[in-house]
Amino acid sequence: MTRFLLRRLIFVLISLWIIISATFFLMRAVPGGPFSAEKKVPVEILKTLEAHYGLDKPLVMQYFDYVKSVVTWDLGPSFRYKAETVNDIINRTFKISLVLGLEALFLSIALGVFFGVLAALYHNKFQDYSAMVIAVIGMSVPSFILAVFLQYVFAIQLDVFPAGRFETPMHHVLPALSLSALPIAFIARLTRSNMLEVLQQDYIKTARAKGLKESIVLIKHAIRNAILPVVTYLGPLTAGILTGSFVVENIYGIPGLGTQFVQSITNRDYTVIMGTTVFYSIILVFMVFVVDMLYGIIDPRIKIAGGEVTGGDVNEYS
């Protein structure tokens, strides 16, 4: 277990270093500079601004300064918002994206697993076709089109939900549905295919032959094994949802991290772009690490041995 944790920790650190380095050099390779959009200012003032933000230093020195700032989690000042640092912006906006993300994540898992199990239990019946039609629609329609559609129908035409902002619980419904539509569809299809496979396994037939209740067979043996691939998907899904959808937040006027990231690109606010990218990467890598840990908890057949996650014989479980 210790060896496994050390290997995963090294993997995390190397991944983050590559992401930090790639982000830094890509931003420096973009034509123009952070003050290109400003009104034309005298050369002396421009040089003073570049010296203030350390942009007059050699590229290598800027790189090491940036790596040091990430390690100490002091991401520096914003080029656009003079009174705020990148840390202030992330602290202010991420809690909004976190609330929206957790709501969307809950809907994704609950409805995705429900539709997947329902479709598998009623294979080739009305319930199966209905669930898969919903899944296909969820996977086919981009989130920004679904967000606009829901906003038009339920906010403008029916006046059931507010069209924008993020203040009362009613403001949360449409953005959370827009954000969770694709994960619901993906989880439903994944759960359905795995449930169909698991229900044909010998240990399910053995459990039924022993006289166990159908609910126990499904919950304790079938669903538990069928959702393992779903757990793998939860790592990147959680990171993506928690950091907020750039498009959905913009459509509904939600002042979250996604909206801030889009605005920082428009404003050429380099430090905010790099800071939010690194922040997103840390969440993503951490969630992948957590998912590896959850494997051993959800399924006792999976053991952590020799630094690798391995699976046991399915028949042993029966």
Side-chain angles (χ1 to χ4, degrees):
M1 185 66 177
T2 303
R3 184 182 173 189
F4 172 78
L5 290 174
L6 286 175
R7 289 186 63 173
R8 282 293 183 268
L9 183 60
I10 293 172
F11 167 77
V12 166
L13 294 176
I14 292 176
S15 300
L16 289 177
W17 173 70
I18 293 174
I19 293 170
I20 292 169
S21 302
T23 304
F24 176 84
F25 288 110
L26 284 174
M27 289 306 303
R28 289 298 185 272
V30 173
F35 308 112
S36 299
E38 299 282 354
K39 293 180 180 178
K40 198 166 185 180
V41 296
V43 177
E44 292 77 12
I45 296 179
L46 183 61
K47 288 184 177 178
T48 303
L49 285 172
E50 291 179 345
H52 176 72
Y53 290 106
L55 299 176
D56 59 338
K57 297 180 181 178
L59 187 61
V60 176
M61 289 187 64
Q62 292 183 43
Y63 170 70
F64 282 110
D65 287 344
Y66 184 67
V67 173
K68 180 182 176 183
S69 70
V70 173
V71 172
T72 58
W73 200 241
D74 180 9
L75 301 175
S78 165
F79 288 168
R80 174 61 56 177
Y81 306 101
K82 309 300 182 186
E84 284 189 305
T85 65
V86 178
N87 294 65
D88 294 334
I89 292 173
I90 292 177
N91 292 337
R92 173 171 54 82
T93 58
F94 179 63
K95 57 186 177 184
I96 298 173
S97 296
L98 180 64
V99 173
L100 174 61
L102 289 176
E103 293 169 345
L105 188 64
F106 173 78
L107 286 177
S108 303
I109 298 173
L111 295 181
V113 172
F114 172 76
F115 284 134
V117 172
L118 183 70
L121 293 180
Y122 296 93
H123 188 216
N124 288 334
K125 295 182 179 177
F126 174 76
Q127 294 89 337
D128 183 17
Y129 297 140
S130 301
M132 287 305 99
V133 166
I134 295 174
V136 169
I137 293 174
M139 297 184 73
S140 305
V141 180
S143 59
F144 66 91
I145 293 180
L146 181 62
V148 173
F149 175 77
L150 293 177
Q151 196 177 45
Y152 176 76
V153 173
F154 293 100
I156 297 176
Q157 295 297 325
L158 301 179
D159 196 23
V160 178
F161 298 104
R165 304 178 71 86
F166 202 67
E167 297 171 353
T168 66
M170 294 296 283
H171 289 88
H172 297 205
V173 177
L174 295 183
L177 283 175
S178 304
L179 196 56
S180 61
L182 177 60
I184 288 174
F186 192 85
I187 291 175
R189 291 179 61 86
L190 198 60
T191 304
R192 175 183 179 272
S193 62
N194 284 291
M195 274 291 291
L196 290 175
E197 182 180 347
V198 168
L199 290 175
Q200 301 301 319
Q201 297 296 322
D202 291 338
Y203 64 88
I204 295 293
K205 297 175 183 176
T206 303
R208 284 172 172 162
K210 289 180 179 178
L212 293 178
K213 292 182 179 178
E214 187 65 16
S215 58
I216 295 177
V217 174
L218 291 176
I219 296 174
K220 187 177 179 181
H221 298 281
I223 296 178
R224 187 175 182 179
N225 288 311
I227 65 171
L228 276 176
V230 177
V231 173
T232 306
Y233 174 60
L234 290 183
L237 169 66
T238 305
I241 286 183
L242 290 185
T243 49
S245 168
F246 307 147
V247 178
V248 171
E249 288 189 5
N250 270 278
I251 290 175
Y252 289 100
I254 300 172
L257 189 61
T259 299
Q260 190 62 55
F261 182 76
V262 174
Q263 291 177 353
S264 66
I265 295 175
T266 305
N267 297 331
R268 304 176 73 88
D269 199 340
Y270 284 13
T271 51
V272 176
I273 295 173
M274 292 190 293
T276 50
T277 302
V278 170
F279 183 68
Y280 173 86
S281 305
I282 291 173
I283 295 177
L284 175 62
V285 174
F286 176 74
M287 289 310 303
V288 171
F289 179 79
V290 171
V291 166
D292 285 345
M293 296 295 100
L294 287 177
Y295 257 91
I297 298 174
I298 294 176
D299 191 347
R301 296 171 302 157
I302 297 177
K303 303 178 185 303
I304 299 173
E308 298 293 343
V309 179
T310 60
D313 186 356
V314 173
N315 293 327
E316 293 176 0
Y317 192 58
S318 62

